[in-house]
């Protein structure tokens, strides 16, 4: 009977779709439908609807596929009780700030709360398996699961994010082996991938990398990869011979000697008369390296940093800092960061450009220093220190006093100081966060205030991460 | 922070609010009453006329306040009642962590909300008196003749209503027949306008619930793949015919009347001896808020009974005008609580009212906050179809599915596939992220006869939610 009904359904649906009476086509139900045509159509509709709604479900197509399991990560997901807080912070702010914080504390986000996009580059390497899972899900394919370390033989078995993470780890452990692997496999990758992988040589960069970097700058097809190779060579004192450009740039910054007894050199800033001159100066900063620039000024790079007069020409300051970040040695970057840390609040923003070249410990120390010695805000300290600041008493800094004063104003609104409170939450240690919460509550902020979410998460999250 | 009755008197918009608040200032009306550790915030849940209790919160520093009830008075009687409870210390306000819903409110508050609004300065101020509000009005004995007249009038009204509904259902059947005659292809193309017309006729005929359902019909139809819409239209229109005929057969049946005209009031349900009351531990599976074409927002909360006794699922259904603004969520998906639900009398009880919720036990009883769900019924197809056979006009039924996994077809459409291969069901919408990449040990979902809308699932990653 059900078969006969099912067979009749095609004709019934077709007739109704077109607007024709269907009862004549539903022979299995002839008795139930009766003789009155309009009534028969309604009865048939009721029966058909019930039959289709209950007895008929869509046939699954052949070739259904299931995706592989979302892989577990090397770090545990945040405790269940803190997940709502993490979700709320992720909804309100950038994942690229919270996720490194969690990773530095030894935790990861729960995959039901956050999953990366395949091209999320600025997240901790611990999420590489998820990035590759998302890429595999989008591509509808899977690669062999690789248990051994990355080698030239199993290179293609890795998905890109896991490969980059493995290569980073190999470079930290054995820089020569990582370089040798790149030399064999890099040419087969696309320009974007080559750019990212060559960038890994910045970790543990040494003179041993010079021949390979020279090969890249001479043979690579992509201008961006070449430029990166040149900047890495420049950090090793092997910058391109940009003599003419360096000399032209030096022309904008004459060196003068001052003092009668202790004669010291000071860099002057030529007054720029036209916008074209400014554009030209900017362009020159982008093609020279710091060593060549210093040579053209007839001083060492260290002397150049010492002789620079900060906070006079903001554009020149930013250009010099970018030049050091791109082509300076690690020692010079440290020296430049130290010099910039003496700048005023606006100048301090240049520290964010140097921060990626510093170690986590240096960044943390620098953030603590500028917080206590200047009018640096917590938001800026966050940009300098990243996820590893762990300051024990950040509210004792001038930024803390400014924050408390701003919150204490009678006209302070419930949405004021959001960025500062969030920055404070990121740079504080767990103990620092607890202290800050106490003081802020004492200053009138409600315990349930959502602006304190980051501080609350910080205070509640166990610190499983290693302090550098 | 202290507050006295004088302040409440000033805060109230009128004497009737004060009077109503006095009625609510009784311990039995409230659950989950608490106070932030700094004493600045108070909150509580007050049972009202809706299915859910109203969440009430106030900031004692400036008497800013919020309630999830649909009242247009600000502050509403629930806020005044909560403040009254606190002022008179009628119930203890235990210091506790601020609930997330209070924090959410704090985050959304506008600056102007910090200044409490007492009675409008433009309008003439009505005299208000808390003492007068507390005076119980004497009950006037009713004249027996007047009572008889009132009953007779009510019976006449009920008869008139029934007649009007039956006429409206005649018009509905006529309309359904017209759609078949004109062709379902044309109906699908013009469903919104055609449904609007008959829905308006049904509103005139006092079949308001059915009108709302027909208003939403085009939305449900358009959510289907194009090729499936004629079938969907047949199922939807067939259910309307079945419901119309069920009403004609039993116009006084409360369950059928609920699907056509109106639902009983909270008081009627609670007073009905056939109402089943179930005291159990419940998990909030999901909350769905939908703005309807009639300007109301329907808020549906799906609950899972974690015990073995009583109905497995419950729905709490509330309506409020969209113009009242964002109402805020009463529950958080995933939260668990012990509470008593009163089920509307029905063959298969599902719709319920929350009578009492024991939040004190929520904190003290971690044993049932473990991820276990009740045992899943083995026969999937039977579980899906049984409710649809018993009440064929039902649009969707909640089901608890056994172990399974999401599979994808070539077009990316998701299918739920039972681990034992006994059933493969198409999934509504996109099953994204983690849902696609892990075994679903148990899945709670809504089955609409042709699509499965997943509400939540238990996985090795813990419980994952899919709505809200």
């Amino acid at each position: 009977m059900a078969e006969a009904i099912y067979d009749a359904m095609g004709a019934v649906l077709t007739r109704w779709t077109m607007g024709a009476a269907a009862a004549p086509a539903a022979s299995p139900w002839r008795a139930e439908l009766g003789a009155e045509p309009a009534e028969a159509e309604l009865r048939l509709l009721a029966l058909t609807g019930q039959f289709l709604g209950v007895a008929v479900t869509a046939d699954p197509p052949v070739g259904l596929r299931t995706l592989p399991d979302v892989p577990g990560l090397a770090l545990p997901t945040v405790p269940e009780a803190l997940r709502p807080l993490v979700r709320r912070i992720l909804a309100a702010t950038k994942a690229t700030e919270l996720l490194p914080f969690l990773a530095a504390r030894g935790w990861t986000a729960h995959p039901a709360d956050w999953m990366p996009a395949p091209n999320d580059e600025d997240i901790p390497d611990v999420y590489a398996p998820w990035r590759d899972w998302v890429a595999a899900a989008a591509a509808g394919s899977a690669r062999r699961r690789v248990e051994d370390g990355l080698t030239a033989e199993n290179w293609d078995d890795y998905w890109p994010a896991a490969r980059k993470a493995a290569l980073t780890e190999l470079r930290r452990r054995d820089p020569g082996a990582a370089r040798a692997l790149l030399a064999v496999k890099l040419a087969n990758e696309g320009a974007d991938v080559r750019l990212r992988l060559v960038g890994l040589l910045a970790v543990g960069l040494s003179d041993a990398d010079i021949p390979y970097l020279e090969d890249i700058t001479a043979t690579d097809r992509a201008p961006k990869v070449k430029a990166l190779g040149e900047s890495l060579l420049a950090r090793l004192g092997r910058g391109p011979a940009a003599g003419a450009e360096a000399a032209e740039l030096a022309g904008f910054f004459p060196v003068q000697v001052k003092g009668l007894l202790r004669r010291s050199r000071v860099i002057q800033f030529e007054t720029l008369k036209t916008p074209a001159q400014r554009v030209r100066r900017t362009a020159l900063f982008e093609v020279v390296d710091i060593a060549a620039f210093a040579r053209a000024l007839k001083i060492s790079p260290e002397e150049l940093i010492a002789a620079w007069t900060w906070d006079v020409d903001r554009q020149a300051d930013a250009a010099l800092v970018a030049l050091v970040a791109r082509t300076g040695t690690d020692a010079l970057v440290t020296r430049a960061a130290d010099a910039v840390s003496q700048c005023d609040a606006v100048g301090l923003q240049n520290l964010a450009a140097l921060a990626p070249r510093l170690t986590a410990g240096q960044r943390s120390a620098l953030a603590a220093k500028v917080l206590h010695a200047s009018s640096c805000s917590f938001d800026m300290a966050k940009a300098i220190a990243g996820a590893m600041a762990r300051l024990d008493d950040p509210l004792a800094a001038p930024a803390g006093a400014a924050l408390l004063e701003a919150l204490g104003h009678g006209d302070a609104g419930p949405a004021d100081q959001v960025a500062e409170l969030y920055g404070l939450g990121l740079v504080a240690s767990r103990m620092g966060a607890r202290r800050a919460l106490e003081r802020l509550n004492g200053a009138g902020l409600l315990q349930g205030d959502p602006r304190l979410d980051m501080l609350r998460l910080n205070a509640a999250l166990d610190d499983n991460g290693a302090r550098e | 922070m202290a507050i006295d009755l004088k302040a409440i008197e000033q805060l109230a918009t009128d004497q009737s609010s004060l009077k109503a608040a006095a009625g609510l200032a009784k311990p039995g009306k409230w659950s989950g009453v608490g106070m932030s550790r700094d004493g600045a915030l108070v909150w509580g849940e007050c049972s009202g006329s809706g299915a859910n209790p109203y969440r009430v919160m106030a900031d004692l520093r400036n008497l800013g306040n919020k309630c999830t009830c649909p009242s247009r008075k600000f502050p509403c009687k629930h806020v005044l009642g909560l403040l009254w409870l606190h002022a008179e210390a009628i119930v203890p306000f235990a210091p506790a962590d601020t609930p997330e819903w209070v924090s959410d409110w704090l985050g959304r508050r506008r600056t102007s909300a910090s200044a409490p609004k007492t009675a409008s300065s433009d309008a003439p101020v009505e005299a208000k008196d808390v003492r007068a509000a507390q005076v119980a009005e004497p009950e006037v004995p009713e004249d027996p003749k007047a009572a008889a007249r009132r009953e007779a009038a009510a019976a006449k009204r009920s008869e008139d209503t029934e007649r009007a509904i039956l006429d409206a259902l005649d018009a509905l059947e006529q309309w359904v027949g017209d759609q078949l005659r004109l062709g379902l292809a044309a109906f699908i193309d013009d469903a919104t306008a055609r449904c609007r017309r008959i829905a308006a006729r049904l509103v005139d005929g006092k079949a308001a619930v059915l009108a709302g359902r027909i208003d939403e019909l085009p939305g449900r139809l358009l959510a289907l793949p194009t090729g499936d819409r004629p079938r969907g239209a047949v199922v939807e229109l067939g259910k309307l015919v079945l419901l119309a005929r069920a009403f004609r057969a039993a116009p006084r049946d409360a369950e059928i009347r609920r699907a056509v005209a109106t639902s009983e009031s909270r008081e009627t349900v609670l007073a009905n001896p056939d109402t089943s009351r179930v005291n159990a531990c419940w998990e909030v599976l999901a909350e769905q808020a939908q703005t309807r074409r009639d300007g109301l927002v329907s808020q549906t909360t799906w609950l899972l009974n974690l015990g073995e006794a009583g109905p497995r699922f419950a729905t709490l259904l509330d309506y409020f005008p969209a113009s009242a603004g964002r109402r805020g969520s009463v529950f958080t998906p995933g939260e668990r609580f012990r509470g008593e639900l009163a089920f509307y009398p029905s063959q298969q009880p599902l719709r319920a009212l929350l009578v009492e919720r024991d939040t004190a036990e929520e904190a003290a009883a971690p044993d049932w906050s473990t991820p276990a769900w009740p045992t899943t019924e083995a026969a999937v197809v039977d579980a899906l179809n049984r409710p649809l056979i018993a009440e064929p006009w039902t649009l969707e039924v909640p089901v608890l599915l056994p172990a399974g996994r999401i599979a994808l077809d070539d077009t990316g459409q998701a299918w739920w596939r039972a681990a034992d291969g006994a059933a493969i069901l198409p999934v509504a919408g996109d099953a994204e992220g983690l849902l696609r990449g892990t075994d679903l040990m148990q899945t709670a979902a809504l089955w609409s006869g042709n699509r499965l809308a997943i509400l939540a699932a238990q996985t090795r990653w813990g419980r994952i939610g899919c709505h809200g």
Side-chain angles (χ1 to χ4, degrees):
Chain A
M1 180 67 174
E3 277 300 309
I5 296 170
Y6 190 81
D7 288 344
M9 287 296 101
V12 167
L13 275 182
T14 306
R15 285 175 176 230
W16 275 336
T17 304
M18 304 310 294
S27 49
W29 279 327
R30 188 158 295 146
E32 287 80 4
L33 301 185
E36 204 281 307
E39 175 64 14
E41 290 298 309
L42 289 180
R43 288 183 185 182
L44 178 59
L45 179 67
L47 287 166
T48 306
Q50 177 72 344
F51 182 76
L52 293 176
V54 173
V56 182
T57 49
D59 277 337
V62 290
L64 283 180
R65 64 188 171 92
T66 51
L67 300 179
D69 277 350
V70 169
L73 302 181
L75 297 175
T77 58
V78 290
E80 198 61 25
L82 295 179
R83 280 182 56 198
L85 208 46
V86 168
R87 274 200 297 271
R88 218 158 59 182
I89 296 170
L90 281 171
T93 56
K94 286 184 270 187
T96 47
E97 288 178 346
L98 182 64
L99 297 178
F101 170 84
L102 293 179
R105 286 288 184 88
W107 302 95
T108 53
H110 191 283
D113 300 335
W114 179 86
M115 283 286 274
N119 56 354
D120 271 342
E121 289 287 333
D122 298 331
I123 57 170
D125 279 347
V126 69
Y127 293 100
W130 286 2
R131 281 178 52 203
D132 285 342
W133 183 87
V134 172
S141 60
R143 294 189 187 184
R144 196 166 66 82
R145 189 174 174 83
V146 188
E147 302 293 347
D148 305 330
L150 180 66
T151 64
E153 288 70 39
N154 66 17
W155 178 274
D156 293 325
D157 294 333
Y158 276 78
W159 278 80
R163 185 193 299 143
K164 180 166 171 271
L167 197 58
T168 306
E169 174 54 29
L170 181 63
R171 178 70 181 176
R172 282 201 190 99
R173 198 162 28 86
D174 185 350
R179 185 179 60 246
L181 197 52
L182 279 181
V184 175
K185 304 303 295 186
L186 198 68
N188 300 328
E189 300 293 338
D192 284 347
V193 175
R194 293 205 304 281
L195 187 69
R196 283 196 288 274
L197 297 185
V198 169
L200 298 183
L201 293 176
V203 177
L205 189 68
S206 71
D207 286 352
D209 297 316
I210 289 174
Y212 179 56
L213 288 170
E214 285 177 340
D215 181 49
I216 286 176
T217 54
T219 61
D220 200 281
R221 306 177 297 278
K224 280 188 178 175
V225 179
K226 276 175 183 272
L228 178 59
E230 283 168 0
S231 81
L232 291 172
L233 278 172
R235 292 184 202 179
L236 295 167
R238 301 292 186 97
E245 285 91 348
E248 187 181 351
L249 181 62
F252 287 100
F253 302 100
V255 180
Q256 292 193 347
V257 177
K258 71 171 184 180
L260 290 173
L261 298 175
R262 297 182 62 190
R263 296 169 69 77
S264 60
R265 278 176 281 211
V266 176
I267 292 178
Q268 297 293 305
F269 295 82
E270 280 288 313
T271 305
L272 300 174
K273 297 189 178 66
T274 65
Q277 279 183 311
R278 192 169 289 279
V279 170
R280 179 61 184 158
R281 194 181 74 175
T282 303
L284 288 169
F285 266 117
E286 286 168 6
V287 295
V288 303
D289 64 81
I290 188 70
F293 181 35
R295 265 199 310 278
L297 291 170
K298 297 187 173 56
I299 53 177
S300 70
E302 289 74 17
E303 286 171 322
L304 166 54
I305 298 300
W308 192 267
T309 311
W310 301 90
D311 293 335
V312 173
D313 183 334
R314 303 263 184 226
Q315 197 179 42
D317 288 354
L320 180 72
V321 164
L323 184 62
V324 172
R326 186 166 53 83
T327 65
T329 61
D330 288 348
L332 190 68
V333 170
T334 307
R335 191 178 283 251
D338 199 40
V340 175
S341 70
Q342 319 287 331
C343 290
D344 65 15
V346 179
L348 282 175
Q349 289 172 7
N350 286 322
L351 282 178
L354 294 167
R357 294 279 317 268
L358 300 171
T359 64
Q362 285 176 319
R363 293 175 69 171
S364 176
L366 200 57
K369 178 184 165 190
V370 296
L371 260 180
H372 284 97
S374 70
S375 55
C376 174
S377 66
F378 290 123
D379 190 38
M380 200 184 298
K382 173 197 78 183
I384 297 166
M388 295 281 282
R390 292 181 174 160
L391 307 182
D392 280 337
D393 194 9
L395 272 185
L403 177 63
L404 289 168
E405 192 195 338
L407 290 169
H409 277 167
D411 57 352
D416 289 351
Q417 305 297 325
V418 171
E420 274 300 86
L421 288 166
Y422 175 65
L424 172 62
L426 270 177
V427 299
S429 66
R430 190 180 183 192
M431 188 203 295
R434 287 176 172 171
R435 282 184 185 163
L437 277 176
E438 279 172 21
R439 285 197 65 188
L440 287 164
N441 290 147
L445 251 68
L446 296 175
Q447 287 179 337
D449 195 314
R451 290 175 293 174
L452 301 179
D453 280 352
M454 190 60 225
L455 271 171
R456 265 202 296 274
L457 174 65
N458 189 333
L461 196 65
D462 279 342
D463 195 345
N464 298 336
R467 187 187 285 270
E468 196 185 44
Chain B
M1 271 164 226
I3 176 171
D4 56 21
L5 288 182
K6 195 74 193 161
I8 297 169
E9 190 178 86
Q10 285 176 346
L11 202 60
T13 50
D14 50 33
Q15 181 66 23
S16 66
S17 290
L18 271 182
K19 180 80 188 164
L24 289 173
K26 297 182 171 63
K29 300 272 184 189
W30 293 83
S31 58
V33 174
M35 179 172 69
S36 60
R37 296 190 201 286
D38 51 16
L41 296 168
V42 289
W43 58 83
E45 294 181 351
C46 182
S47 56
S49 57
N52 302 317
Y54 301 127
R55 286 188 159 170
V56 192
M57 57 215 97
D59 181 345
L60 297 181
R61 297 170 308 170
N62 50 26
L63 296 183
N65 57 73
K66 165 82 178 170
C67 176
T68 58
C69 79
S71 169
R72 288 162 198 258
K73 279 190 184 175
F74 187 82
C76 66
K77 60 185 178 184
H78 307 102
V79 167
L80 297 173
L82 178 77
L83 294 172
W84 202 313
L85 285 184
H86 187 258
E88 298 278 88
I90 295 167
V91 295
F93 280 72
D97 287 340
T98 314
E100 206 174 326
W101 46 276
V102 179
S103 291
D104 281 347
W105 165 62
L106 287 172
R108 288 201 308 272
R109 280 178 77 189
R110 293 189 299 265
T111 312
S112 57
S114 60
K117 280 183 188 159
T118 53
S120 164
S121 54
D122 300 336
V125 179
E126 186 190 340
K128 293 171 292 180
D129 183 352
V130 286
R131 297 295 158 211
Q134 286 171 301
V135 175
E137 286 176 11
E139 286 185 16
V140 181
E142 194 173 18
D143 171 14
K145 282 184 186 170
R149 273 200 305 276
R150 192 165 43 79
E151 278 172 25
K156 172 79 169 51
R157 268 202 310 278
S158 172
E159 223 168 82
D160 290 349
T161 302
E162 197 172 303
R163 186 68 259 153
I165 293 172
L166 287 169
D167 288 349
L169 292 179
D170 286 346
L172 173 67
E173 286 200 351
Q174 175 82 40
W175 176 82
V176 170
D178 289 348
Q179 305 318 309
L180 294 179
R181 202 166 36 76
L182 296 168
L184 292 182
F187 170 69
I188 291 165
D189 286 345
D190 190 29
T192 304
R194 293 192 189 184
C195 288
R196 189 80 279 271
R197 281 196 289 275
I198 188 65
R201 169 70 184 87
L202 289 169
V203 169
D204 293 344
K206 302 188 189 308
V209 175
L210 191 52
R213 171 180 174 146
I214 291 175
D215 252 342
E216 303 308 315
L217 190 157
R220 289 192 295 274
L221 212 51
L222 295 174
L224 298 174
T226 313
D228 203 23
R229 287 177 191 166
R231 173 191 184 279
V234 167
V235 173
E236 288 272 357
L237 297 177
K239 284 176 189 285
L240 295 179
V241 173
L242 284 166
L243 184 53
R245 296 194 171 203
F247 186 89
R248 275 205 205 93
R252 302 286 162 91
D253 182 287
E255 188 171 3
I256 297 171
R257 214 176 172 85
R258 217 176 284 143
V260 172
T262 182
S263 300
E264 307 93 308
S265 68
R266 182 184 176 94
E267 290 69 29
T268 310
V269 173
L270 294 179
N272 190 334
D274 294 336
T275 297
S276 105
R277 289 171 176 248
V278 179
N279 195 322
C281 298
W282 305 91
E283 176 173 318
V284 180
L285 289 172
E287 271 213 310
Q288 297 170 323
Q290 187 188 12
T291 305
R292 305 181 343 152
R293 289 183 56 84
D294 58 9
L296 288 178
V297 175
S298 69
Q299 191 168 33
T300 311
T301 308
W302 293 95
L303 302 176
L304 175 67
N305 183 349
L306 298 174
E308 292 295 337
R312 173 148 295 179
F313 294 95
T315 64
L316 305 176
L317 186 57
D318 272 337
Y319 296 98
F320 59 95
S323 57
R326 183 176 165 173
R327 190 180 178 203
S329 188
V330 176
F331 292 103
T332 309
E335 80 173 284
R336 294 174 167 202
F337 65 91
R338 176 173 280 283
E340 184 179 78
L341 261 56
F343 283 84
Y344 283 70
S346 165
Q347 286 184 64
Q348 302 177 87
L350 180 63
R351 187 172 168 192
L353 299 166
L354 182 55
V355 182
E356 196 173 356
R357 168 176 172 163
D358 187 352
T359 44
E361 188 164 343
E362 187 177 5
D367 55 321
W368 48 269
S369 62
T370 52
W373 279 359
T375 318
T376 309
E377 290 176 58
V380 174
V381 175
D382 187 42
L384 297 177
N385 289 341
R386 205 182 323 118
L388 291 174
I389 290 169
E391 295 179 346
W393 49 85
T394 304
L395 286 174
E396 54 188 11
V397 295
V399 285
L400 194 58
L401 299 169
R405 190 163 175 121
I406 297 296
L408 303 171
D409 64 22
D410 290 342
T411 65
Q413 161 72 45
W415 298 73
W416 176 86
R417 182 158 65 186
D420 62 4
I424 303 179
L425 304 169
V427 174
D430 295 323
E432 290 193 321
L434 180 58
L435 200 59
R436 293 178 170 207
T438 192
D439 288 333
L440 309 176
M441 297 179 309
Q442 283 180 294
T443 302
L446 299 178
W447 174 246
S448 63
N450 55 15
R451 288 285 185 282
L452 196 67
I454 295 177
L455 297 175
Q458 290 288 1
T459 71
R460 71 184 177 91
W461 294 93
R463 177 198 184 281
I464 56 177
C466 304
H467 286 277

